[in-house]
Amino acid sequence: MIKKLQNRFILTMIAIATVLLGILFFSIPIMESNLATSNASNTLDVILDKPEEILSSKDNPSSFTYSAFYVNHVGTITKYYSMQYNRSQLERIYNEIKQDYYGNENFMLEKSHLYYSYTNTASGTWYAISDSTEDEKYNESLFTTCMIMYAISMIVVSILTIFLSKWIIKPTEYAWNKQKQFIADASHELKTPLTVILTNAELLNKTESPNGSQKKYVTNILTESHQMKTLITHLLDLARIDRGIPKENFVQVDMTSLVTDESLVMEVELYERGHVLEATTDENLYVKGDKSKLQEVIDILLDNAGKYAHEGSQIDIKLSKLGSSHVLLSVSNKGDNLSEQELRNIFTRFYRTDTSRSHNGSYGLGLSIAKEIITQHGGLIWAECSDGLITFKVKLPLLTPHKEQKPDS
């Protein structure tokens, strides 16, 4: 739980940093490019006001950087002022402007690497041009620098986020661990007095009582005590699972044999409740896991089906190969239709779809225990409902059995 919160925090912070830093570092070269274009356009407009005066003077530095030429209505260059280009080169540039870029708001010739601007007169058009190569090289260099800084910033942010998440989550983790420890300790301490109560109540129940009402009270004590024992057992199971299943408990497990054996055990109990259990299993399906915990999952699903299945209905348990890499276990029963919201909440601790059944021994902990076990086995568990057919499905990674090792059965 705490690990999930930490991972969610890290992913959220990295996503926010990715967007914000991306906007920052991508906007810098864009703004710089727009600024360079704007400055060049303004300078060219100044030259176009008096091109002959500005560019005809050899002493004017602008004459070495900028060029201007005049085109009449026929499309012929009649005047030009340039230290960089001759007439034929200017004609080529003019054709490029006319064919591909004339009227383009960017005022750039990408092929020739030039800025340009123009102004119309009564008898023709003046054009002013300047080289954009240096600005383009600078923008490329700036873009590369920004990308490098972006990558470095993301690495730094990711490292800081990981350390920050540990610091932020630490109080929550401490409180969570204290809560789990309290539940485990309280449950353990309650077991002793509860055992005494159960023992005495059972002795009283066996004793002949002259008063029938006393017998009823003793029976009530026994019923509630057994339910409390179930609750305490579930709480202890949750506390143990929250601490994590020891890695040394994960061994090769023959799921085919496990499902078959548990079906035989639960068949009698379900029959007493008025249900018929039908089991179907594929052969030689193995997983890596804690055998006792996987057995507990099967018991929980079958017990849950027995509690909520319609009276006299059949319960089906199936084990099959899913694709080439997974095992699928499903338990189905006919029951009341469940909404999408109920199917999502059904694995939440202490959640019950039918609160009227709170005294049937169900505290809404069994399915949450099953989910924690399957999650720690690297699997998935979910519920589906269609026309009153409720199906719980468990997906686990398939394991190829070792020939040298005798399979756990």
Side-chain angles (χ1 to χ4, degrees), residues 25 27 50 65 67 200 228 239 252-253 256 261 263 284 318 375 385-386 396:
F25 285 108
S27 63
K50 298 176 180 179
T65 308
S67 300
N200 285 281
M228 184 177 287
Q252 180 177 295
V253 178
T256 301
D261 294 344
S263 298
N284 301 319
K318 297 179 181 179
T375 299
C385 182
S386 177
L396 290 168

Side-chain angles (χ1 to χ4, degrees), residues 248-373:
E248 57 268 21
N249 289 7
F250 282 76
V251 296
Q252 180 177 295
V253 178
D254 185 347
M255 281 296 291
T256 301
S257 299
L258 187 62
V259 171
T260 301
D261 294 344
E262 287 310 300
S263 298
L264 290 173
V265 172
M266 292 294 295
E267 185 177 13
V268 177
E269 182 179 336
L270 293 173
Y271 181 79
E272 291 177 352
R273 300 187 195 178
H275 304 295
V276 176
L277 178 62
E278 185 70 27
T280 307
T281 59
D282 289 350
E283 295 297 325
N284 301 319
L285 295 180
Y286 297 85
V287 300
K288 186 175 183 180
D290 185 322
K291 182 179 178 182
S292 63
K293 294 302 180 184
L294 293 174
Q295 178 182 338
E296 186 176 356
V297 170
I298 297 171
D299 291 343
I300 288 171
L301 294 179
L302 290 175
D303 179 66
N304 184 77
K307 287 176 181 176
Y308 294 97
H310 286 165
E311 188 174 350
S313 62
Q314 178 175 302
I315 297 172
D316 294 299
I317 180 169
K318 297 179 181 179
L319 180 72
S320 59
K321 189 176 180 181
L322 182 64
S324 60
S325 58
H326 288 88
V327 170
L328 181 66
L329 171 69
S330 62
V331 177
S332 305
N333 65 272
K334 277 286 185 180
D336 298 334
N337 276 313
L338 299 178
S339 66
E340 290 295 327
Q341 184 67 31
E342 287 174 322
L343 291 174
R344 284 194 295 269
N345 294 335
I346 202 167
F347 296 99
T348 305
R349 297 181 183 186
F350 296 103
Y351 179 83
R352 290 187 298 269
T353 57
D354 186 359
T355 55
S356 64
R357 298 196 184 194
S358 58
H359 297 289
N360 69 347
S362 174
Y363 290 92
L365 288 175
L367 292 176
S368 61
I369 291 174
K371 182 179 180 180
E372 289 296 329
I373 292 173

Side-chain angles (χ1 to χ4, degrees), residues 198-211:
L198 275 169
T199 302
N200 285 281
E202 286 170 356
L203 289 173
L204 286 172
N205 194 42
K206 292 177 182 179
T207 304
E208 301 242 346
S209 174
N211 192 340

